[in-house]
Amino acid sequence: MDRRRVIVEGIRPMLDGGRFPIKRVVGDVVAVEADVYGDGHDEVSARLRWRHEKQRNWREAPMVSLGNDRWRASFAVDALGTYRYVVEGWVDHFKTWRHDLKKRIGAEQAGASDLRSGAGGVNEAADRARGRDAEALRAWATRLRHEDVPQAERCEDALSDDLDALMARWPDLEHATAYDVELQVAVDPVRARCSAWYELFPRSWATTPGAHGTFRELVARLPYIEAMGFDTIYLPPIHPIGESRRKGRNNAVEAGPDDVGSPWGIGGSEGGHKEVHPRLGTVADFRALVQEAGTRGIDVAIDIAFQVSPDHPYVREHPEWFRMRPDGTVQYAENPPKKYQDIYPFDFESADWRGLWRELESVFLFWIEQGVRTFRVDNPHTKPFPFWEWCIGRIKARYPDVIFLSEAFTRPRRMYRLAKLGFSQSYTYFAWRNDKAELEKYLLELTRSEVAEFFRPSFWPNTPDILNEYLQTGGRAAFMARVVLAATLCSNYGIYGPAFELLEHVPREPGSEEYLHSEKYEIREWDFDHPDSLSAFIGRLNRIRRENPALHENRTLRFHFIDNRQLIAYSKASGIDDPRSLNPYGDELVPPAPVPPAGEPANNVILTVVNIDPAYTQSGWVEVPLEKLGLRPDQPFAVEDLLTGAKYTWRGAWNYVELNPRVSPAHVFRIARETDDEAAS
Amino acid sequence: MDRRRVIVEGIRPMLDGGRFPIKRVVGDVVAVEADVYGDGHDEVSARLRWRHEKQRNWREAPMVSLGNDRWRASFAVDALGTYRYVVEGWVDHFKTWRHDLKKRIGAEQAGASDLRSGAGGVNEAADRARGRDAEALRAWATRLRHEDVPQAERCEDALSDDLDALMARWPDLEHATAYDVELQVAVDPVRARCSAWYELFPRSWATTPGAHGTFRELVARLPYIEAMGFDTIYLPPIHPIGESRRKGRNNAVEAGPDDVGSPWGIGGSEGGHKEVHPRLGTVADFRALVQEAGTRGIDVAIDIAFQVSPDHPYVREHPEWFRMRPDGTVQYAENPPKKYQDIYPFDFESADWRGLWRELESVFLFWIEQGVRTFRVDNPHTKPFPFWEWCIGRIKARYPDVIFLSEAFTRPRRMYRLAKLGFSQSYTYFAWRNDKAELEKYLLELTRSEVAEFFRPSFWPNTPDILNEYLQTGGRAAFMARVVLAATLCSNYGIYGPAFELLEHVPREPGSEEYLHSEKYEIREWDFDHPDSLSAFIGRLNRIRRENPALHENRTLRFHFIDNRQLIAYSKASGIDDPRSLNPYGDELVPPAPVPPAGEPANNVILTVVNIDPAYTQSGWVEVPLEKLGLRPDQPFAVEDLLTGAKYTWRGAWNYVELNPRVSPAHVFRIARETDDEAAS
């Protein structure tokens, strides 16, 4: 039994009833909506309370009624870590009284009895209040009751905004209802939301042709990567590589004597997950690379793959962490009939699972101590979900700036679960979404559903494991189209280079997505200065991304109609403060995509059009939703293709585009809107 | 830290994370779906467990994989009260082993070591098993390991269905995951889902013209109601009526000396909520009415309105249950500037709120003891929500066959909350949904969203408070159209009679929905035998409802295209056992509306077409989705208008209908499909 009369429910954002935090980055605003209502005709009030986990005091803001029992307020998250938020509602007798008094005055029914009853409520608030507010409230109560003051005057007093504001500061919360669960926001660094990754195998980056590259040589090549504008370089496992059962070039079952092996065959006589491959250099060399990259504004991300080669020290020191076959040998990885005898998975059902979990956590901590703040995690869906929640939770409690990218190419529910459990970014199906309808459908799922609250997509046109058919057959235009799509559709993206910018496109065999002469198994020599290289194009693209805040997030993504299914058109806009736009759901109260507040132009609008047909010129009429982008229907407007510098003057909602893939398969337009000043002049 | 590797989430049906029960009626099947998955490549298994709250033992059924990590199973609820259900998942090592063995056999890789490892798993199951199963498993393990038996033969054994079934009976549940919350199903009597109500003021049903009617006289008139086919008669409050501030005819502020007052002004010198108005008879007379109606298969529902007249004994005996005005008088009901000085609301913020709650509960219990099993509750949204959850919960724990109809004409969230808290049926916005688009939209919300899990709509074309404009102006055809819509769209419906069947349509004043000479304030004399009466028509309609199970529920409702917006067409079908149809959501795995299993005709299909234009004949072509209704596209089929007996032969998907409102504004077709026997002959 409980006589609290107000119901608080239907809170958004909220994941699985509060089981998981929503995600934001530093500087974001969290707009919270809730259903708050009571029985009968009494008015209710609601407030939003929040605090950073490490602060003791709650802050609060009144919620505003949106009608139909829906309320909204918002708060900014300006520190890394976890915030908590709570919605509270209560029956507001003063608000009810004030509302009724207005109607009574209108009907000429207001009387001394009404004023006395209001004064009673004001006096009760005075009892709750402190300091000057208490005095002021007491004075108000006296005045409302003061029979020498004409009644009409006292009624006017009763409705004053001053009294209303004063009363709102001292509500009667004795029977207030709070939502059952304290909800959470995980606040990450901004680069969790916006980043451009470049994956490379350092052993192929030697300055001496044919040699095994080193971290020192990679430092020398940083300007190449910096010129392309990437902010994160990501290295496959940098550890010693096992020799037993090592795979040869093109994944041959037997390695030749000179074969370098796969970096994912982790662990040898030189050590395991906390050691650097001796031919790459030393841990100190690695630290120097991290530092040097840092001075150029580049993070170094490393790959953490929790599996071992048969030569890994763990196999000897912790046999209890592996499953044994009936013949007493360690169980290698298998996906019958395929056998991966060079790889031993951990047995997470081990009796010493606690010891295993702690050791794996210590791997992250070791590299964090070497300066790493970004981890790409290999196949996290093949390790238990509870392990990730525990491990990432502990690490982020100490190092809230650490970023984890989930490399889980698996079924949707598993990918989403990993994101909910703590991964900051996630690989996606982008590589297999190549036509317009597929792309639009997938992007709507990622940006306009609850998924947007916890899953930060990262779009990769290629990886060392994925050379899709479109790139195999589409030529240079296909590479350009795919990198433009990745970089403009998704605020996190990456490429695996130099294979990408050098248009590497031959598969190991027909129908395969594996590269021929894959760097996974051999050292490659790259012709960084090849005339066909896309490095300058990618540099331009990354500069556009940096300079245009519209491309720094996905929530404003909107597709536009274009009458050619080989052309895909979409825009992003920044500087939109309408809180409605912060809620990504298709709720009736929320427009399908953000609209700038009336009269306030969006600050930065990028309209991208891509020809996804790499073979032929395609043209069409694209619809520009003028009003939604803050454009005046009666005024021409300038668009500039930031890829080429070409400028056009457009007029009206429908505009013609034509894209020849041999020249450029994409426009990345900035829409320049007249400012009010310009319009006036 | 927890090493359980399987995730169970996304359960449907589930309301607010399990906070509220879903609703079913006795005999229903509950189809449960869940996401169940683990990490890595191991197979998982899942099961559904359930029990009636009063049974100790859980029953269980294996869940079937639907692909994409989604699983399903179902259970029947055959007793009143509350059931609990739980989904469990676990890593199934035997299933994984069996699956891998198949692939190994295919690749000619299966070896003695594989058989030994499988035998180990079978032996472990034998340790868990009891009795014969344990022996049988032990024998299987021995055989799998038996080196004298040829390996190929043992492999075949290992894949036998018998072993599989045996292993499935003894799973290793040590690390099984159960969903956090035990979910609940509230199981009501079938009449909670399907009922036809008739509201009447017994004081107007005297057999002596002009007299105050009595319960005894109402007994004499039961055959009239029985002939119309209603299964529930509902009486406005039957208690003594207050004299102080009593309202007169047409809601006049002052009552005349002969005015009988509003039944909702409850309580006088003769008693309050546990007493019968002396002019209606005695409590014994009321019990006799309940019994007599019962022998005719008719329930008597009474109205419980928790408010009092100034003369109610509570005012004297429990002044603490009322709010006082500053002048020391009891606060009457108000909605400024309107004052209802004849009505005192309870103060649920009373210090003695516990005493008040208990007294109100005792009102229900009193009438339950007099034989009442169905309550219409007046304005429940003006009493605290927690009160209803407590009160209905306690009553249903003792009397699970009791039905509560919520008379909350208020905002959607409050209506839905009351339903979640325990009300069995709810009034709706039907009276204000008069055009085709409005009706379709509202019905989709009620039948194809989560709302269908907890909110059982009741459609009323009129009530003593609602005479809508359509009925005021549309004439007899309007009444016919509205009652057909109510009775066929919604398995629960009701009318307020005889005002309805006698076409009462004059409002108190223009723009008002109040009746002129409303029975709320005066005794009316009704001409039950008026030649225009719709009583025979309604009788036919209720017989159609009784005889056609398709009309006994709403989940199969499907609207059909018809090329005239004055015509609305829809069907319901019964006998559909495809479990997909039991899930009302627009999930990708669930078709938008149920489809009979291939080759199996639906048992009963009712296609209704209503002309909502009461003035003119309308015609159009209605689309009949032949396949979905189990019809053969190449065969003609017979349709019979159950309202008129007219029969037609239709052929193909598009068929012509024409409805003259002066004759009949509706067809209620039964679609007779050829049986296989007929087709063969």
Side-chain angles (χ1 to χ4, degrees):
Chain A
M1 285 172 83
D2 179 343
R3 65 169 156 161
R4 285 177 296 173
R5 292 172 49 202
V6 172
I7 304 298
V8 177
E9 62 179 11
I11 299 184
R12 275 186 174 172
M14 173 167 76
L15 291 178
D16 296 350
R19 164 75 178 80
F20 300 105
I22 60 160
K23 288 184 188 151
R24 291 292 187 273
V25 300
V26 171
D28 273 346
V29 169
V30 182
V32 178
E33 287 190 6
D35 300 330
V36 183
Y37 55 89
D39 61 90
H41 303 292
D42 288 335
E43 300 273 328
V44 305
S45 286
R47 66 178 181 177
L48 175 66
R49 305 174 70 215
W50 69 94
R51 68 176 175 92
H52 190 283
E53 197 166 56
K54 297 201 169 154
Q55 290 166 338
R56 182 170 288 182
N57 291 332
W58 290 87
R59 304 181 60 189
E60 64 184 59
M63 296 185 85
V64 174
S65 167
L66 306 176
N68 206 13
D69 298 318
R70 195 83 181 146
W71 298 72
R72 181 192 289 136
S74 55
F75 66 102
V77 288
D78 38 30
L80 290 171
T82 301
Y83 282 76
R84 292 170 182 275
Y85 61 101
V86 170
V87 172
E88 279 179 3
W90 62 93
V91 173
D92 189 330
H93 290 298
F94 181 74
K95 205 199 265 182
T96 308
W97 174 82
R98 190 172 188 268
H99 180 248
D100 287 352
L101 184 68
K102 260 187 219 171
K103 292 195 290 182
R104 287 194 178 98
I105 292 170
E108 300 191 346
Q109 284 182 1
S113 154
D114 297 315
L115 286 163
R116 271 204 303 281
S117 123
V122 174
N123 253 333
E124 286 168 24
D127 292 343
R128 289 188 294 272
R130 274 174 299 195
R132 288 196 175 182
D133 280 4
E135 282 168 42
L137 284 164
R138 203 99 42 212
W140 273 108
T142 308
R143 183 168 168 81
L144 292 187
R145 241 198 242 101
H146 205 300
E147 306 219 340
D148 292 349
V149 180
Q151 197 168 286
E153 211 171 295
R154 285 187 284 150
C155 282
E156 207 170 296
D157 282 356
L159 299 179
S160 85
D161 290 343
D162 286 352
L163 177 56
D164 194 37
L166 207 50
M167 288 296 288
R169 279 213 291 280
W170 301 100
D172 179 5
L173 299 172
E174 194 189 337
H175 302 303
T177 306
Y179 187 73
D180 307 346
V181 182
E182 274 184 25
L183 303 175
Q184 297 185 47
V185 193
V187 181
D188 290 317
V190 172
R191 69 201 162 89
R193 189 182 65 198
C194 180
S195 59
W197 291 45
Y198 186 80
E199 175 174 6
L200 68 96
F201 287 75
R203 66 188 181 187
S204 296
W205 285 56
T207 39
T208 316
H212 191 292
T214 66
F215 289 142
R216 284 171 192 247
E217 287 167 303
L218 184 55
V219 167
R221 292 216 192 253
L222 283 176
Y224 171 79
I225 299 165
E226 189 182 7
M228 278 193 290
F230 289 100
D231 54 44
T232 306
I233 58 175
Y234 145 47
L235 311 179
I238 57 176
H239 317 301
I241 296 173
E243 308 236 354
S244 306
R245 306 273 188 170
R246 175 181 284 187
K247 293 289 168 70
R249 290 161 193 243
N250 290 312
N251 201 26
V253 177
E254 305 268 318
D258 298 333
D259 281 348
V260 289
S262 159
W264 285 273
I266 298 168
S269 53
E270 310 91 342
H273 282 78
K274 297 174 188 170
E275 194 47 79
V276 157
H277 193 293
R279 295 178 74 182
L280 286 172
T282 63
V283 170
D285 292 342
F286 175 76
R287 275 202 305 269
L289 168 67
V290 171
Q291 190 154 14
E292 185 58 34
T295 63
R296 295 170 189 269
I298 296 174
D299 277 338
V300 175
I302 62 169
D303 193 354
I304 298 293
F306 284 141
Q307 59 189 24
V308 302
S309 91
D311 306 329
H312 196 294
Y314 287 155
V315 179
R316 205 172 55 248
E317 295 163 12
H318 292 285
E320 68 277 14
W321 292 347
F322 302 92
R323 195 166 292 170
M324 293 297 155
R325 289 157 49 84
D327 63 7
T329 59
V330 177
Q331 178 67 60
Y332 46 81
E334 268 190 294
N335 187 9
K338 287 190 195 162
K339 302 180 179 192
Y340 306 95
Q341 285 149 320
D342 57 329
I343 300 290
Y344 293 170
F346 291 110
D347 176 15
F348 283 88
E349 294 183 348
S350 161
D352 185 38
W353 59 278
R354 286 190 175 80
L356 174 61
W357 284 25
R358 289 209 189 89
E359 174 62 22
L360 300 182
E361 182 200 9
S362 78
V363 170
F364 286 110
L365 293 173
F366 176 86
W367 293 106
I368 288 170
E369 280 152 26
Q370 311 316 316
V372 177
R373 283 297 177 276
T374 307
F375 296 97
R376 181 266 202 192
V377 177
D378 189 70
N379 282 324
H381 60 292
T382 62
K383 287 87 194 172
F385 297 99
F387 165 72
W388 293 118
E389 185 166 30
W390 173 85
C391 179
I392 295 176
R394 279 166 64 100
I395 291 168
K396 296 214 66 157
R398 283 173 69 182
Y399 303 100
D401 60 336
V402 170
I403 286 174
F404 296 89
L405 166 62
S406 160
E407 189 250 8
F409 290 112
T410 180
R411 299 189 297 273
R413 285 172 178 86
R414 308 212 289 183
M415 293 173 67
Y416 288 153
R417 181 82 181 189
L418 289 163
K420 286 180 181 175
L421 293 174
F423 281 92
S424 330
Q425 300 182 355
S426 306
Y427 281 79
T428 61
Y429 304 139
F430 172 67
W432 305 285
R433 297 292 180 273
N434 288 279
D435 81 23
K436 176 171 166 171
E438 285 170 349
L439 281 165
E440 291 189 355
K441 187 176 170 210
Y442 190 43
L443 267 298
L444 289 177
E445 175 180 328
L446 295 177
T447 64
R448 292 247 172 271
S449 77
E450 192 185 66
V451 168
E453 296 291 0
F454 62 88
F455 184 89
R456 294 198 190 96
S458 185
F459 276 11
W460 290 68
N462 74 331
T463 77
D465 301 310
I466 307 169
L467 170 67
N468 74 13
E469 198 191 344
Y470 183 83
L471 294 182
Q472 290 175 24
T473 60
R476 196 168 188 266
F479 282 77
M480 292 169 76
R482 291 298 289 177
V483 73
V484 169
L485 287 167
T488 56
L489 281 171
C490 195
S491 52
N492 290 305
Y493 91 108
I495 59 170
Y496 151 54
F500 192 87
E501 69 265 27
L502 297 181
L503 315 179
E504 189 81 358
H505 66 280
V506 183
R508 194 152 77 207
E509 67 248 348
S512 168
E513 292 192 334
E514 290 284 339
Y515 282 92
L516 181 65
H517 300 305
S518 167
E519 277 187 293
K520 291 194 287 187
Y521 311 104
E522 63 188 280
I523 293 175
R524 295 287 302 271
E525 288 173 51
W526 296 109
D527 178 4
F528 290 98
D529 302 318
H530 194 286
D532 278 347
S533 171
L534 289 176
S535 64
F537 179 78
I538 292 169
R540 214 171 307 134
L541 195 57
N542 279 329
R543 195 163 56 247
I544 294 169
R545 278 174 51 98
R546 255 201 320 280
E547 291 171 357
N548 289 280
L551 299 176
H552 297 182
E553 51 183 321
N554 302 328
R555 75 187 165 110
T556 69
L557 178 67
R558 183 202 307 267
F559 290 98
H560 300 306
F561 184 78
I562 186 163
D563 59 344
N564 179 333
R565 56 182 196 154
Q566 298 293 344
L567 295 176
I568 182 168
Y570 48 90
S571 67
K572 290 182 171 183
S574 77
I576 292 172
D577 295 324
D578 181 347
R580 282 176 303 174
S581 69
L582 300 170
N583 183 333
Y585 303 108
D587 196 283
E588 64 193 44
L589 292 165
V590 177
V595 175
E600 280 180 40
N603 289 330
N604 179 241
V605 180
I606 298 294
L607 170 69
T608 305
V609 186
V610 180
N611 175 3
I612 54 180
D613 172 2
Y616 297 101
T617 297
Q618 298 285 347
S619 63
W621 291 82
V622 59
E623 183 178 18
V624 182
L626 302 172
E627 223 174 310
K628 288 178 181 161
L629 297 176
L631 296 163
R632 298 166 189 231
D634 54 340
Q635 296 285 330
F637 56 99
V639 300
E640 178 184 0
D641 184 344
L642 301 174
L643 288 172
T644 60
K647 294 182 182 180
Y648 308 86
T649 299
W650 282 4
R651 186 186 287 273
W654 292 93
N655 293 281
Y656 180 78
V657 292
E658 180 178 296
L659 286 162
N660 177 347
R662 322 240 159 232
V663 181
S664 169
H667 289 304
V668 179
F669 290 122
R670 179 160 52 207
I671 298 186
R673 285 158 318 94
E674 257 184 336
T675 64
D676 284 338
D677 285 352
E678 285 168 347
S681 69
Chain B
M1 285 172 79
D2 179 344
R3 64 170 155 159
R4 283 178 297 172
R5 292 170 50 202
V6 171
I7 305 298
V8 176
E9 63 179 11
I11 298 184
R12 274 187 174 168
M14 173 167 79
L15 291 178
D16 296 351
R19 164 76 176 81
F20 299 105
I22 60 161
K23 288 184 191 151
R24 291 292 186 275
V25 300
V26 171
D28 273 347
V29 169
V30 182
V32 178
E33 287 190 8
D35 300 331
V36 182
Y37 55 89
D39 61 272
H41 304 291
D42 288 335
E43 300 275 326
V44 304
S45 287
R47 65 178 183 179
L48 174 66
R49 303 173 73 215
W50 69 93
R51 68 175 174 92
H52 190 283
E53 200 165 55
K54 298 202 169 154
Q55 289 166 338
R56 180 170 286 181
N57 292 330
W58 290 87
R59 303 181 61 187
E60 63 184 59
M63 297 186 84
V64 174
S65 167
L66 306 175
N68 208 13
D69 298 319
R70 195 84 181 144
W71 298 72
R72 180 192 290 136
S74 57
F75 65 102
V77 288
D78 36 30
L80 290 172
T82 301
Y83 281 76
R84 293 169 181 275
Y85 60 101
V86 170
V87 173
E88 280 179 3
W90 62 93
V91 174
D92 189 330
H93 290 297
F94 181 75
K95 206 201 265 183
T96 307
W97 174 82
R98 192 173 186 266
H99 180 249
D100 287 353
L101 184 69
K102 261 188 217 168
K103 292 196 290 184
R104 286 193 179 102
I105 292 170
E108 301 190 347
Q109 284 181 0
S113 154
D114 297 315
L115 287 164
R116 270 202 304 279
S117 121
V122 174
N123 254 331
E124 284 167 26
D127 292 345
R128 291 189 294 274
R130 274 174 298 193
R132 287 196 176 180
D133 279 4
E135 281 167 44
L137 285 163
R138 203 86 58 202
W140 274 108
T142 307
R143 182 169 168 82
L144 293 186
R145 244 199 237 100
H146 205 299
E147 307 218 339
D148 293 348
V149 180
Q151 198 168 284
E153 211 172 296
R154 284 186 284 149
C155 282
E156 207 170 295
D157 282 357
L159 299 180
S160 84
D161 289 344
D162 285 354
L163 176 57
D164 193 38
L166 208 49
M167 289 297 289
R169 280 214 291 280
W170 301 100
D172 179 6
L173 299 171
E174 195 188 336
H175 302 303
T177 306
Y179 186 73
D180 307 347
V181 184
E182 274 184 24
L183 304 174
Q184 296 183 49
V185 192
V187 181
D188 289 318
V190 172
R191 68 200 164 89
R193 189 182 66 200
C194 180
S195 60
W197 291 45
Y198 186 80
E199 176 174 5
L200 67 97
F201 287 74
R203 67 188 180 189
S204 295
W205 285 54
T207 38
T208 315
H212 192 292
T214 66
F215 289 142
R216 284 171 192 244
E217 286 167 304
L218 184 55
V219 167
R221 290 215 192 255
L222 283 176
Y224 172 80
I225 299 166
E226 189 182 8
M228 277 193 291
F230 290 100
D231 54 43
T232 307
I233 58 177
Y234 145 47
L235 311 179
I238 57 177
H239 317 301
I241 296 172
E243 308 236 355
S244 308
R245 306 272 190 172
R246 176 181 282 188
K247 293 286 168 71
R249 289 163 192 242
N250 290 313
N251 202 25
V253 176
E254 305 268 319
D258 297 331
D259 281 346
V260 288
S262 160
W264 285 272
I266 297 169
S269 53
E270 310 90 341
H273 282 76
K274 297 175 189 170
E275 193 48 78
V276 157
H277 193 293
R279 294 177 74 183
L280 287 173
T282 63
V283 171
D285 291 342
F286 176 75
R287 274 202 307 268
L289 168 67
V290 170
Q291 189 156 12
E292 184 58 34
T295 63
R296 296 171 187 268
I298 296 174
D299 277 338
V300 175
I302 63 169
D303 193 354
I304 298 294
F306 284 141
Q307 59 188 21
V308 302
S309 91
D311 305 331
H312 196 293
Y314 288 154
V315 179
R316 202 172 58 248
E317 295 162 11
H318 293 284
E320 69 277 13
W321 292 346
F322 301 91
R323 196 166 292 169
M324 292 297 156
R325 288 157 50 83
D327 63 6
T329 59
V330 177
Q331 178 67 60
Y332 45 80
E334 269 190 293
N335 186 13
K338 288 189 194 161
K339 301 180 181 191
Y340 307 94
Q341 286 150 318
D342 56 330
I343 299 291
Y344 293 169
F346 291 110
D347 176 15
F348 283 89
E349 294 183 348
S350 160
D352 184 37
W353 58 280
R354 286 189 176 81
L356 174 61
W357 285 24
R358 289 208 190 89
E359 174 62 20
L360 300 182
E361 182 200 8
S362 78
V363 171
F364 286 110
L365 293 174
F366 176 85
W367 292 107
I368 288 171
E369 281 154 25
Q370 312 316 316
V372 176
R373 284 296 177 277
T374 308
F375 296 98
R376 181 265 202 192
V377 177
D378 190 70
N379 282 323
H381 59 292
T382 62
K383 289 88 195 171
F385 297 98
F387 166 70
W388 292 118
E389 186 168 29
W390 174 86
C391 180
I392 295 177
R394 279 167 63 100
I395 290 168
K396 297 214 65 159
R398 282 174 68 183
Y399 303 100
D401 59 336
V402 170
I403 286 175
F404 295 89
L405 165 62
S406 161
E407 190 250 7
F409 290 112
T410 179
R411 300 189 297 275
R413 286 172 177 86
R414 309 212 289 183
M415 292 173 68
Y416 288 153
R417 181 82 180 188
L418 290 164
K420 286 180 181 176
L421 294 174
F423 281 92
S424 330
Q425 300 182 354
S426 305
Y427 281 78
T428 62
Y429 304 139
F430 172 68
W432 305 284
R433 297 293 179 273
N434 289 280
D435 81 24
K436 176 171 167 172
E438 285 170 348
L439 281 166
E440 290 188 355
K441 187 175 170 213
Y442 190 43
L443 266 298
L444 288 177
E445 176 180 329
L446 295 178
T447 62
R448 293 247 171 270
S449 77
E450 193 184 66
V451 168
E453 296 292 0
F454 62 87
F455 184 89
R456 294 200 191 96
S458 185
F459 277 13
W460 290 68
N462 75 329
T463 77
D465 301 310
I466 308 168
L467 171 66
N468 75 12
E469 198 191 343
Y470 184 83
L471 294 182
Q472 290 175 24
T473 60
R476 196 167 187 266
F479 282 76
M480 291 168 78
R482 291 298 288 177
V483 74
V484 169
L485 287 168
T488 56
L489 282 171
C490 195
S491 52
N492 289 304
Y493 92 109
I495 59 170
Y496 152 53
F500 192 85
E501 69 264 27
L502 297 181
L503 314 180
E504 189 81 359
H505 64 280
V506 183
R508 195 153 75 205
E509 67 249 344
S512 168
E513 292 192 334
E514 290 283 341
Y515 282 91
L516 181 66
H517 300 304
S518 168
E519 277 188 293
K520 291 193 288 187
Y521 311 105
E522 62 189 279
I523 293 175
R524 294 287 301 272
E525 287 173 51
W526 295 110
D527 178 4
F528 291 98
D529 302 317
H530 194 284
D532 278 347
S533 170
L534 289 176
S535 63
F537 180 78
I538 292 168
R540 216 170 306 135
L541 195 57
N542 280 328
R543 194 164 54 245
I544 294 169
R545 277 172 52 96
R546 255 201 321 280
E547 291 171 357
N548 288 280
L551 298 175
H552 298 181
E553 52 183 320
N554 302 327
R555 75 188 164 110
T556 69
L557 178 68
R558 181 203 309 269
F559 289 98
H560 300 304
F561 184 78
I562 188 164
D563 58 344
N564 180 333
R565 55 184 197 152
Q566 298 293 344
L567 295 176
I568 182 168
Y570 48 91
S571 67
K572 290 184 170 182
S574 77
I576 292 172
D577 295 324
D578 181 348
R580 283 176 303 177
S581 69
L582 299 169
N583 184 332
Y585 303 108
D587 194 285
E588 62 193 46
L589 292 166
V590 178
V595 175
E600 280 181 39
N603 289 329
N604 180 240
V605 180
I606 298 294
L607 170 69
T608 305
V609 186
V610 180
N611 176 4
I612 56 181
D613 172 2
Y616 297 101
T617 296
Q618 298 284 348
S619 62
W621 291 84
V622 59
E623 184 179 18
V624 181
L626 302 173
E627 224 173 311
K628 289 178 183 163
L629 297 178
L631 296 165
R632 299 166 187 227
D634 54 342
Q635 295 286 330
F637 55 98
V639 299
E640 177 183 358
D641 184 344
L642 301 174
L643 288 173
T644 61
K647 294 184 183 182
Y648 307 86
T649 299
W650 282 5
R651 187 186 288 273
W654 293 94
N655 292 280
Y656 180 77
V657 291
E658 182 179 294
L659 285 162
N660 177 348
R662 320 241 158 233
V663 181
S664 169
H667 289 305
V668 179
F669 290 123
R670 179 159 53 206
I671 298 187
R673 284 157 320 92
E674 253 182 337
T675 64
D676 285 338
D677 284 351
E678 285 167 348
S681 68

